[in-house]
Amino acid sequence: MRFAVISCHPDDAKLEALTEYSRFLIALLVILDPFAAVAVFTVLARDLDHAQRRRAATVVTVTVLGALLLFAVSGTQLLNLLGTGVDSFRVGGGLVLLLMGFEMLRGAALATDSTTGTFEGAHRADRSPATVVVPLAIPFLAGPGAISTVMLEMHRGAGPIHLALVLAIITLVCAVLWAALRLATPIAERLGHVGLAILNRLFGLIVVVIAVEVMARGLRGLFPLLGGGSTL
């Protein structure tokens, strides 16, 4: 009796890997949300001159890049230190993303930061680019959502190639963020508050979809019966 052996074609494996890294690229870009960052940056940097705005955009981007690279490299050690499994982190991180997505759908970030109330008083006390770093870089951009996404992606693979690709994607997304912040004023003027709000809500919907998928993977890992006895 003969049995047919079905092997996975190498091209299929490459396509699956490409899809996974493309998904991470889109997810991180959506979570960092350059359009919401532009709206907040415009308010925070309102009293800065042109040179200070450019320097502030660089400082914010470098801070976000450094924080995400740090968690990408040391995230596994941190989980081991806390005694937390990756599936538990998927559920917790997915919940953070879900709440973040709901806030984006509500337009909470733009509604708060586009007014003259929350950040303006603190900003006018010190007209230096460093005042833009907090709260924009941390925790608005390099917050729980982005950190969770980076750490979860690190657990999807192993080896130096996987690490290099993840770090390269983080750097690419931060480059896009840097360009958006450098052009914050013309972007905000061109799109207007309504345009920024629409894009922010659209990104929020995508974040909610990603969060549900991440939580589902974590729950199937913690409770295999939910996945018919198999885990992803």
Side-chain angles (χ1 to χ4, degrees), residues 31-33 35-41 43-44 99-115 118-119 135-136 140-141 193 196-197 200-201:
I31 291 169
L32 287 183
D33 195 353
F35 295 104
V38 163
V40 178
F41 182 82
V43 175
L44 292 175
L99 295 175
M100 180 180 175
F102 284 148
E103 289 297 310
M104 293 171 68
L105 285 173
R106 290 177 53 245
L110 292 179
T112 301
D113 300 324
S114 62
T115 64
T118 305
F119 299 118
L136 180 55
F140 188 83
L141 293 172
H193 181 67
L196 291 173
N200 191 57
R201 284 171 170 81

Side-chain angles (χ1 to χ4, degrees), residues 19 31 45 53 56 66 75 78 85 114 137 173-174 186 192 206 210 212 218 222:
T19 302
I31 291 169
R53 287 191 180 192
L78 179 61
S114 62
V173 172
C174 286
I206 298 175
I210 294 172
V212 171
L222 293 174

Side-chain angles (χ1 to χ4, degrees), residues 119-208:
F119 299 118
E120 185 177 359
H123 176 61
R124 285 185 175 179
D126 184 5
R127 292 185 55 193
S128 68
T131 60
V132 184
V133 176
V134 179
L136 180 55
I138 299 174
F140 188 83
L141 293 172
I147 292 172
S148 300
T149 302
V150 168
M151 292 178 65
L152 289 175
E153 182 62 27
M154 286 301 301
H155 282 85
R156 296 182 189 273
I161 296 179
H162 174 70
L163 175 62
L165 287 173
V166 171
L167 297 184
I169 291 174
I170 294 174
T171 304
L172 176 61
V173 172
C174 286
V176 174
L177 175 65
W178 176 78
L181 293 180
R182 296 267 289 194
L183 300 173
T185 300
I187 291 176
E189 291 176 352
R190 180 66 61 88
L191 294 177
H193 181 67
V194 175
L196 291 173
I198 292 174
L199 289 173
N200 191 57
R201 284 171 170 81
L202 178 61
F203 278 25
L205 178 60
I206 298 175
V207 170
V208 169

Side-chain angles (χ1 to χ4, degrees), residues 19-154:
T19 302
E20 184 62 44
Y21 290 116
S22 300
R23 185 181 304 173
F24 172 58
L25 171 64
I26 295 173
L28 188 60
L29 183 63
V30 167
I31 291 169
L32 287 183
D33 195 353
F35 295 104
V38 163
V40 178
F41 182 82
T42 302
V43 175
L44 292 175
R46 179 180 302 172
D47 297 327
L48 302 180
D49 57 35
H50 182 67
Q52 288 177 318
R53 287 191 180 192
R54 294 169 68 91
R55 187 161 61 252
T58 302
V59 172
V60 168
T61 305
V62 171
T63 302
V64 173
L65 176 62
L68 295 183
L69 292 180
L70 176 64
F71 278 97
V73 174
S74 62
T76 301
Q77 290 78 5
L78 179 61
L79 288 181
N80 294 334
L81 180 64
L82 297 175
T84 303
V86 63
D87 290 319
S88 298
F89 191 80
R90 281 195 179 108
V91 176
L95 181 59
V96 170
L97 291 177
L98 186 65
L99 295 175
M100 180 180 175
F102 284 148
E103 289 297 310
M104 293 171 68
L105 285 173
R106 290 177 53 245
L110 292 179
T112 301
D113 300 324
S114 62
T115 64
T116 58
T118 305
F119 299 118
E120 185 177 359
H123 176 61
R124 285 185 175 179
D126 184 5
R127 292 185 55 193
S128 68
T131 60
V132 184
V133 176
V134 179
L136 180 55
I138 299 174
F140 188 83
L141 293 172
I147 292 172
S148 300
T149 302
V150 168
M151 292 178 65
L152 289 175
E153 182 62 27
M154 286 301 301

Side-chain angles (χ1 to χ4, degrees), residues 12-22:
D12 295 336
K14 292 180 181 179
L15 180 60
E16 183 178 355
L18 178 61
T19 302
E20 184 62 44
Y21 290 116
S22 300

